[in-house]
Amino acid sequence: MSIWVRVGDFVANVASNALTSVVEAVRTAFEGDPETRRRVAFSIAMIALSAKMAKADGIVTDKEIRAFQQIFSIPESERAHVARLYNLAKQDTAGYESYAAQMASLCGSGHPNCKCLEDILDGLFHIAKADDYVHEKELAFLTRVGEIFGFDEAHFQAIVARHIDLGEADPYVILGLPRGASFEEARRRYRQLAAENHPDKLAARGVPNEFLTIANDRIAAINGAWEKLERELKAA
């Protein structure tokens, strides 16, 4: 069964105007099927938090809509359900912090710097930067979501550095390395990140196939940072 049929079933049967009803339905329906639960939960988290982020800066551009469509390929027959979920999240009186906490509970591992929650943040950054810059209200939103998701400052800044042009990209920040790291330390860290962010690992975490576009961007940023740092450390 298509993941979007699953999402559509939950949205069609929700009895109230609170996303909490959808989240709780997903939580209980797939207790014996963690793989499907991860896939459905990831999709709902991305849709709901995208809606809340759009409300943060008050503007939804065509570029942001196209960026969302790059993450999700939604069948025509299921688009009405996805639109209902998006509007439900956007209009819900619950604040985005409450949403983020629910999504961390539903999708997260319970450990700091959870990779599945990093996937969600990457998707949100991808949408936020679609109109060529990240609005300060969007960045404030993403920063707070990162805190609720349990990311430490260094890890969150590494995510930011992959998406926002802060001038000359700092390879130490992108790779999460301290200043003065040795060549061997840097190479170990690079190999660790390359292994953790392999597309096969994302699929195992329940990330949709369409998300591989963002996964490839993430790997490109990691590879670029390593190439730059490798040259620097070898020349030292």
Side-chain angles (χ1 to χ4, degrees), residues 150-191:
F151 289 96
D152 60 43
E153 179 65 19
H155 199 113
F156 182 76
Q157 288 304 320
I159 298 171
V160 172
R162 294 201 300 261
H163 292 282
I164 300 179
D165 184 2
L166 302 174
E168 188 69 14
D170 188 331
Y172 286 94
V173 174
I174 293 174
L175 297 178
L177 284 167
R179 302 288 169 184
S182 69
F183 178 85
E184 287 301 323
E185 289 172 330
R187 183 164 61 180
R188 277 197 302 272
R189 177 61 176 160
Y190 163 68
R191 288 176 174 174

Side-chain angles (χ1 to χ4, degrees), residues 38-222:
R38 281 196 302 270
R39 295 179 66 212
V40 173
F42 180 89
S43 302
I44 289 174
M46 277 300 311
I47 294 166
L49 288 174
S50 295
K52 285 298 188 185
M53 186 169 67
K55 197 171 181 178
D57 70 352
I59 302 170
V60 181
T61 68
D62 289 341
K63 288 182 178 179
E64 287 175 335
I65 293 171
R66 286 195 295 273
F68 184 87
Q69 291 170 343
Q70 287 176 341
I71 300 173
F72 294 116
S73 178
I74 304 167
E76 185 68 38
S77 60
E78 300 302 320
R79 290 182 183 176
H81 291 312
V82 173
R84 185 186 173 205
L85 178 59
Y86 186 93
N87 290 328
L88 186 68
K90 195 172 180 182
Q91 295 164 13
D92 194 346
T93 56
Y96 76 88
E97 292 174 318
S98 173
Y99 271 44
Q102 289 176 15
M103 296 313 167
S105 173
L106 188 64
C107 305
S109 63
H111 301 296
N113 302 323
C114 170
K115 295 303 294 182
C116 185
L117 297 179
E118 183 173 351
D119 294 334
I120 294 172
L121 268 180
D122 261 338
L124 293 172
F125 267 106
H126 179 73
I127 294 167
K129 71 181 183 183
D131 46 7
D132 301 323
Y133 77 104
V134 176
H135 191 281
E136 62 181 12
K137 290 183 179 178
E138 290 173 323
L139 183 56
F141 172 97
L142 291 163
T143 300
R144 181 63 185 130
V145 169
E147 292 172 353
I148 294 168
F149 279 3
F151 289 96
D152 60 43
E153 179 65 19
H155 199 113
F156 182 76
Q157 288 304 320
I159 298 171
V160 172
R162 294 201 300 261
H163 292 282
I164 300 179
D165 184 2
L166 302 174
E168 188 69 14
D170 188 331
Y172 286 94
V173 174
I174 293 174
L175 297 178
L177 284 167
R179 302 288 169 184
S182 69
F183 178 85
E184 287 301 323
E185 289 172 330
R187 183 164 61 180
R188 277 197 302 272
R189 177 61 176 160
Y190 163 68
R191 288 176 174 174
Q192 176 191 357
L193 289 174
E196 288 176 352
N197 292 288
H198 190 279
D200 289 348
K201 292 290 182 69
L202 271 73
R205 293 199 292 269
V207 175
N209 289 335
E210 296 85 2
F211 201 83
L212 294 181
T213 298
I214 297 173
N216 290 334
D217 288 346
R218 184 191 294 175
I219 284 291
I222 291 169

Side-chain angles (χ1 to χ4, degrees), residues 22-38:
V22 179
V23 172
E24 290 307 315
V26 172
R27 190 189 304 279
T28 57
F30 298 117
E31 284 183 333
D33 187 357
E35 180 177 351
T36 301
R37 174 178 161 173
R38 281 196 302 270

